[in-house]
C-alpha cells in the first residue's frame, strides 16, 4: 500500500487547523455558572399502606412528604465571578408549593471558600447562605474562581422536582443545569473502532509474509485506531460528576438528628 505524498499537506493542514481551533476554544473567555442535582430523593421511600403507618417528625413538626436534596452550584467557566459582578445574588428557587425545612452547606471547593466573606458569622451556613424563605434560598455574593463549587443540603417538604436559579451577575445571562457530556469520548471510541475494523478487512499489509515487521502505513493506521479507541474509553469524567454522598442518617449535621421516624405498630 502506497500513500500519495500529495495527501500529506492537506491532512497536515486539517490537523493543524483542528488543533488551533481547539486551543482557541479553550482560551476563549467564558463566564458561566451552572447548577446540578447530585441527589433528590424522598426521605422515606416506602409507598402504599406501609407508608401511612410511618410518622416522620422534624423537630416537633410532622413531615408528610419530605425530600432530601443535594444541589451543587459551580463556576464551570474560565473567568472568576467577583463580588463586584453581583447586582443581585444567586437565588435558588423551588416549586411554589415547596417548604424548605432546613438548608446547610455540606461541602465547598475549595474547603475554605467561606473565608472569602467579610462576615462576623461563625458558621459556614450563615456565611454562604444569605437568606432563606419558604421556597427559595439566597447565597451571599462570593468570589467564585473557575471550578469553585458550593454543595447545599436541603430538607424540603412537597418538593415537585422544580429547581431554577435567578440572578443578576455581570456577564452571566442565565444559570443552566449542568449535565456531563460524554459525546466526545464516545465519538473517539467509535472512530477508533471503525478505523481498526476498516484496516483489518480492507487495508492489507504491503508485506503479508513478514509478520514481525509489518508495513509502516498499515501499522500506523491500526495504531491510530487503537489510540483513538483507548482515548475514548479512558477519557476522564468531569470533577463535578463526583458524588459527595452525604447521607442524612449518617451525617454529623446537627439538624439531621432532629428527624424522628416512628411506626404506629411500635
Amino acid at each position: 500500500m502506497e500513500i500519495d505524498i500529495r495527501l500529506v499537506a492537506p491532512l497536515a493542514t486539517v490537523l493543524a487547523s483542528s488543533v488551533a481551533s481547539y486551543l482557541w476554544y479553550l482560551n476563549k473567555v467564558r463566564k458561566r455558572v451552572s447548577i446540578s442535582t447530585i441527589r433528590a430523593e424522598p426521605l422515606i421511600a416506602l409507598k402504599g399502606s406501609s407508608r401511612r403507618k410511618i410518622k416522620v417528625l422534624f423537630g416537633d413538626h410532622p413531615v408528610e412528604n419530605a425530600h432530601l436534596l443535594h444541589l451543587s452550584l459551580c463556576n464551570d467557566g474560565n473567568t472568576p465571578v467577583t463580588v463586584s459582578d453581583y447586582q443581585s445574588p444567586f437565588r435558588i428557587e423551588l416549586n411554589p408549593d415547596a417548604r424548605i425545612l432546613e438548608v446547610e452547606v455540606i461541602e465547598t471547593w475549595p474547603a475554605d471558600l467561606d473565608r472569602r466573606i467579610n462576615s462576623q458569622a461563625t458558621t459556614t451556613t450563615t456565611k454562604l447562605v444569605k437568606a432563606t424563605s419558604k421556597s427559595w434560598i439566597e447565597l451571599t455574593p462570593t468570589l467564585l474562581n473557575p471550578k469553585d463549587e458550593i454543595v447545599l443540603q436541603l430538607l424540603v417538604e412537597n418538593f415537585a422536582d422544580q429547581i431554577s436559579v435567578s440572578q443578576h451577575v455581570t456577564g452571566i445571562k442565565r444559570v443552566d443545569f449542568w449535565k456531563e457530556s460524554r459525546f466526545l469520548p464516545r465519538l473517539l471510541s467509535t472512530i477508533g473502532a471503525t478505523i481498526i475494523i476498516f484496516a483489518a478487512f480492507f487495508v492489507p499489509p504491503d508485506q503479508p509474509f513478514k509478520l514481525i515487521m509489518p508495513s509502516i502505513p498499515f501499522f500506523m493506521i491500526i495504531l491510530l485506531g487503537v489510540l483513538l479507541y483507548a482515548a475514548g474509553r479512558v477519557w476522564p469524567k468531569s470533577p463535578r460528576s463526583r458524588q459527595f454522598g452525604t447521607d442524612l442518617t449518617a451525617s454529623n449535621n446537627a439538624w439531621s438528628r432532629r428527624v424522628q421516624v416512628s411506626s404506629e405498630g411500635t
Side-chain angles (χ1 to χ4, degrees), residues 24-214:
W24 171 83
Y25 174 77
L26 291 180
N27 292 306
K28 182 181 178 182
V29 175
R30 300 187 308 276
K31 182 177 287 188
R32 182 173 183 268
V33 173
S34 64
I35 189 171
S36 64
T37 302
I38 300 174
R39 181 179 183 180
E41 58 187 29
L43 193 61
I44 302 295
L46 287 176
K47 296 182 179 180
S49 58
S50 299
R51 175 64 183 88
R52 291 191 293 269
K53 297 179 181 179
I54 295 178
K55 292 183 179 180
V56 180
L57 299 177
F58 183 72
D60 297 328
H61 175 73
V63 178
E64 295 296 332
N65 183 23
H67 279 69
L68 177 64
L69 305 182
H70 288 170
L71 305 178
S72 166
L73 189 78
C74 179
N75 179 359
D76 46 11
N78 59 5
T79 304
V81 176
T82 64
V83 176
S84 61
D85 290 333
Y86 290 86
Q87 304 301 315
S88 65
F90 292 105
R91 174 183 287 191
I92 301 175
E93 302 176 352
L94 308 181
N95 52 287
D97 297 335
R99 190 162 73 92
I100 299 175
L101 301 176
E102 198 75 29
V103 59
E104 185 168 357
V105 177
I106 59 173
E107 194 160 356
T108 63
W109 181 262
D112 60 348
L113 188 146
D114 61 297
R115 295 180 60 186
R116 300 174 184 172
I117 303 173
N118 184 17
S119 172
Q120 300 300 318
T122 58
T123 64
T124 302
T125 300
T126 306
K127 287 183 178 181
L128 290 176
V129 177
K130 180 181 180 181
T132 304
S133 183
K134 175 179 174 291
S135 60
W136 55 261
I137 61 174
E138 280 188 354
L139 301 181
T140 304
T142 309
L143 168 64
L144 294 176
N145 290 316
K147 305 308 177 186
D148 283 359
E149 188 170 6
I150 301 173
V151 181
L152 300 164
Q153 179 175 258
L154 292 86
L155 188 62
V156 183
E157 193 174 16
N158 300 323
F159 176 63
D161 199 24
Q162 297 180 22
I163 302 173
S164 62
V165 180
S166 61
Q167 47 76 36
H168 292 91
V169 178
T170 303
I172 297 179
K173 294 182 178 179
R174 64 181 181 273
V175 176
D176 296 318
F177 272 89
W178 176 87
K179 184 177 181 181
E180 184 179 16
S181 174
R182 303 296 293 175
F183 172 76
L184 182 57
R186 291 194 186 100
L187 179 63
L188 290 177
S189 296
T190 301
I191 294 176
T194 302
I195 291 176
I196 294 173
I197 295 173
F198 177 81
F201 288 96
F202 301 103
V203 184
D206 291 343
Q207 301 171 344
F209 299 105
K210 296 182 180 180
L211 300 179
I212 298 178
M213 184 62 68

Side-chain angles (χ1 to χ4, degrees), residues 218-236:
F218 176 77
F219 174 76
M220 294 300 293
I221 291 174
I222 291 291
L223 179 60
L224 175 62
V226 171
L227 290 177
L228 290 176
Y229 180 80
R233 298 295 295 178
V234 303
W235 192 275

